[in-house]
Amino acid sequence: EALAALLGAAASADAQAAEPDARVRRAIAQALGRFEGEPRAADVLLAWIARGDRSYLVEGELRRSLGKTHDARAFDVLARCFTEDPVSWGESVRQGAVDGLASLRDARALPLLARALGPEHGPMVRRSAMVGLGKARAITADEPVLVEVREAIVRGLDAFDPGVRSAGARSLAALRDPASSGPLARLVERDLDGRVRRVAREAQRDLRDRLAKGRESSALKDEVEKLQKELRELRDRLTALEAKKA
């Protein structure tokens, strides 16, 4: 019933005329993104993006929500933010597209997120890209790709905006890569912004905890595999003894 109400509100012939308040339209767009894997929500979002909205913030929210639906059609639509130039206040449309790409769980989005760290983009787009790249390990297990992601984040740490650098520190910890220790240590030692240094120290602790848990998990896995091997050997011996008795 909730989805039906939202679809009815969003899919009118002219959503802007039916609902002139951009804050309400933005809330509808945001709510549609909560219906992950629901093609009807994606259909409405795609149609809305195609016809456009006079509010830049609504346009950004539409793209952000489209990524959250994980619809197969979303990647091509969101990737257009790099081939087209969606001029908007504060790059709000492109930021929404970058957030959407980060939510897709599609490895094809990772190079685009790295590209969004470029100095030609504003700080909000670069922050979103940093956060998105921090999700890389949940998207792919390809180690060369993860190395490229880490290198892109490290290059982005020279951004003037402290929010970008802080987001980069958190993403380095999320990658669970021992090679992230060096860049984090440099942030702690050299960054001129106390807030960034504090976030980097927290990221260092987080990275150490994540790596320790990973080692514990690996040791437990090895122990389980050892016990399984011993169990198979015991079963084989028992089968052989039973065969002799027969």
Side-chain angles (χ1 to χ4, degrees), residues 1-81:
E1 291 177 4
L3 178 60
L6 289 167
L7 295 176
S12 61
D14 186 350
Q16 297 177 68
E19 179 47 70
D21 192 327
R23 293 169 297 180
V24 176
R25 298 199 306 277
R26 187 180 181 189
I28 293 170
Q30 184 181 52
L32 286 169
R34 307 278 178 88
F35 291 87
E36 178 183 338
E38 175 52 72
R40 290 177 293 171
D43 289 342
V44 169
L45 289 167
L46 287 164
W48 199 340
I49 289 171
R51 73 171 176 263
D53 195 285
R54 64 172 174 265
S55 167
Y56 292 141
L57 294 178
V58 174
E59 288 272 17
E61 202 65 55
L62 289 168
R63 287 158 175 78
R64 189 173 291 111
S65 288
L66 179 61
K68 292 178 181 178
T69 66
H70 301 156
D71 190 274
R73 298 165 289 177
F75 177 79
D76 291 335
V77 173
L78 298 176
R80 287 181 200 148
C81 75

Side-chain angles (χ1 to χ4, degrees), residues 174-192:
L175 289 179
R176 302 198 303 273
D177 185 341
S180 296
S181 300
L184 287 173
R186 286 192 290 275
L187 275 181
V188 171
E189 295 168 2
R190 304 175 187 175
D191 202 280
L192 299 179

Side-chain angles (χ1 to χ4, degrees), residues 44-241:
V44 169
L45 289 167
L46 287 164
W48 199 340
I49 289 171
R51 73 171 176 263
D53 195 285
R54 64 172 174 265
S55 167
Y56 292 141
L57 294 178
V58 174
E59 288 272 17
E61 202 65 55
L62 289 168
R63 287 158 175 78
R64 189 173 291 111
S65 288
L66 179 61
K68 292 178 181 178
T69 66
H70 301 156
D71 190 274
R73 298 165 289 177
F75 177 79
D76 291 335
V77 173
L78 298 176
R80 287 181 200 148
C81 75
F82 294 97
T83 57
E84 300 174 356
D85 186 19
V87 178
S88 61
W89 173 80
E91 285 192 289
S92 52
V93 177
R94 182 171 279 131
Q95 184 189 2
V98 169
D99 286 337
L101 286 168
S103 298
L104 266 182
R105 300 176 191 167
D106 188 329
R108 293 178 297 169
L110 295 175
L112 295 179
L113 294 174
R115 181 176 167 184
L117 290 177
E120 68 274 17
H121 298 298
M124 299 309 295
V125 169
R126 299 176 80 180
R127 288 187 196 187
S128 290
M130 279 292 197
V131 173
L133 288 172
K135 301 176 183 178
R137 191 165 286 279
I139 296 171
T140 180
D142 189 330
E143 286 300 328
V145 171
L146 292 171
V147 169
E148 291 177 4
V149 167
R150 174 175 52 77
E151 292 174 348
I153 293 173
V154 172
R155 288 194 299 271
L157 293 178
D158 63 357
F160 177 77
D161 182 70
V164 176
R165 303 197 300 276
S166 295
R170 294 188 182 97
S171 290
L172 284 174
L175 289 179
R176 302 198 303 273
D177 185 341
S180 296
S181 300
L184 287 173
R186 286 192 290 275
L187 275 181
V188 171
E189 295 168 2
R190 304 175 187 175
D191 202 280
L192 299 179
D193 193 304
R195 295 166 298 177
V196 177
R197 294 196 299 272
R198 176 178 56 79
V199 171
R201 283 193 293 270
E202 292 171 356
Q204 282 182 314
R205 291 195 296 270
D206 191 19
L207 178 62
R208 286 194 294 268
D209 291 344
R210 289 170 185 257
L211 292 175
K213 288 179 181 178
R215 287 191 293 269
E216 291 173 3
S217 177
S218 179
L220 181 60
K221 181 180 177 182
D222 292 342
E223 186 65 24
V224 169
E225 290 177 352
K226 179 181 177 182
L227 291 172
Q228 289 174 335
K229 180 181 178 182
E230 292 176 354
L231 180 59
R232 286 195 297 271
E233 291 173 351
L234 287 171
R235 285 176 176 169
D236 291 342
R237 289 169 60 187
L238 180 59
T239 301
L241 288 173

